[in-house]
Amino acid sequence: MSVNIAIDGPAGAGKSTIAKLLAKRLGYLYVDTGAMYRALALYMVEGSITLSDEEAVVAALPQVRVTLAHLDGEQHVYLNDRDVSKDIRKEEIGNAASAISGYPAVREKLLSLQRDLAKAKDCIMDGRDIGSFVLPDAQVKIYLTASSGTRAKRRYDELAAKGESPDLARIEEDIIKRDEQDKNRSISPLIVADDAVVVDSSELSIDQVVERITEIAAEKGVL
Ligand code: DC
């Protein structure tokens, strides 16, 4: 049986950074489920489909094929065979992904892809509902969080390093709005799974978080 480590938590908690490093350290596959939602959202945004119109979004789903490939340890996401790994990283697409992720048909479309990947390989999968719903039998479940102020500041620094001129207050507002949307949707909301260990990264460095999760995995007997 494959080993599965689920890392859930709100936007900007550092899930992907941590999950990538851990996957490298353990030799596991890294699966970023947010990227799958983002790829679907990109299709809707590019096709000018109104995100609040569930019927229109659901009607478009059969035209969309999301696939993943791992090249040199990096996850690449394809939208109808086009590599959209970079295009999906815009804030607008993250917000759009959050907006459509409450529709049952959207979640259903991605569920089997996620479960099949986890069955086939030892993996670290990050998202919102991995420990609570997608992989209820994952051997290790982490809920990685940080204060909204810390998350906004990290995002601000990332954008500033790319030469952009971000607005910190606006970023924090967006983060809070996205948290609310992700936590309050009726289907697969962001929650702490019963058997998840909460790790608050507000005061921890990336290395410290990686160490902490490695310790938790060792305590659970998977390493
Ligand atoms: O982790 P992220 O920012 O790339 O995710 C983008 C959005 O996708 C997130 O706000 C909610 C949705 N999502 C989800 O509903 N379930 C997941 N397992 C992963 C992401």
Side-chain angles (χ1 to χ4, degrees):
M1 202 173 93
S2 57
V3 176
N4 296 156
I5 299 180
I7 303 187
D8 291 297
K15 298 185 298 291
S16 61
T17 307
I18 302 297
K20 263 186 220 163
L21 286 169
L22 265 172
K24 203 167 191 185
R25 182 188 271 202
L26 304 178
Y28 286 14
L29 186 70
Y30 165 54
V31 182
D32 170 6
T33 62
M36 301 178 187
Y37 286 93
R38 285 170 181 261
L40 285 185
L42 181 68
Y43 182 87
M44 305 299 163
V45 170
E46 287 183 345
S48 303
I49 294 166
T50 307
L51 303 174
S52 56
D53 183 345
E54 179 170 358
E55 234 176 82
V57 170
V58 173
L61 290 177
Q63 299 147 30
V64 197
R65 200 159 46 88
V66 175
T67 44
L68 295 188
H70 291 82
L71 310 174
D72 295 331
E74 283 277 316
Q75 177 186 274
H76 288 251
V77 190
Y78 298 84
L79 174 60
N80 296 338
D81 297 329
R82 164 180 149 221
D83 188 342
V84 294
S85 311
K86 289 213 166 69
D87 301 344
I88 58 170
R89 289 297 147 207
K90 293 183 197 125
E91 288 307 286
E92 181 203 3
I93 303 303
N95 292 331
S98 179
I100 63 166
S101 64
Y103 301 147
V106 167
R107 305 203 71 81
E108 186 60 37
K109 185 171 175 91
L110 299 176
L111 184 60
S112 51
L113 177 60
Q114 295 165 1
R115 286 191 172 152
D116 289 349
L117 281 164
K119 210 175 192 178
K121 298 229 166 84
D122 292 343
C123 77
I124 300 190
M125 187 174 286
D126 79 12
R128 301 293 187 288
D129 61 338
I130 308 307
S132 59
F133 181 70
V134 178
L135 306 177
D137 298 328
Q139 291 86 343
V140 182
K141 297 182 185 179
I142 306 292
Y143 185 90
L144 184 63
T145 188
S147 68
S148 59
T150 303
R151 290 184 280 138
K153 179 66 173 50
R154 287 179 187 158
R155 185 71 189 130
Y156 173 92
D157 290 343
E158 245 172 58
L159 293 171
K162 283 190 205 159
E164 294 179 29
S165 334
D167 174 343
L168 184 59
R170 173 81 201 281
I171 294 177
E172 187 167 358
E173 269 169 36
D174 272 357
I175 280 185
I176 292 170
K177 183 170 163 224
R178 188 115 78 89
D179 285 358
E180 271 169 19
Q181 242 169 226
D182 294 347
K183 286 179 180 168
N184 293 317
R185 63 176 179 230
S186 54
I187 172 171
S188 276
L190 170 65
I191 51 164
V192 183
D194 288 342
D195 44 356
V197 181
V198 178
V199 175
D200 187 327
S201 72
S202 305
E203 307 291 332
L204 301 177
S205 67
I206 290 172
D207 286 347
Q208 285 172 320
V209 177
V210 172
E211 272 316 312
R212 178 75 194 108
I213 298 179
T214 308
E215 275 166 27
I216 294 166
E219 281 160 19
K220 303 266 177 195
V222 301
L223 300 184

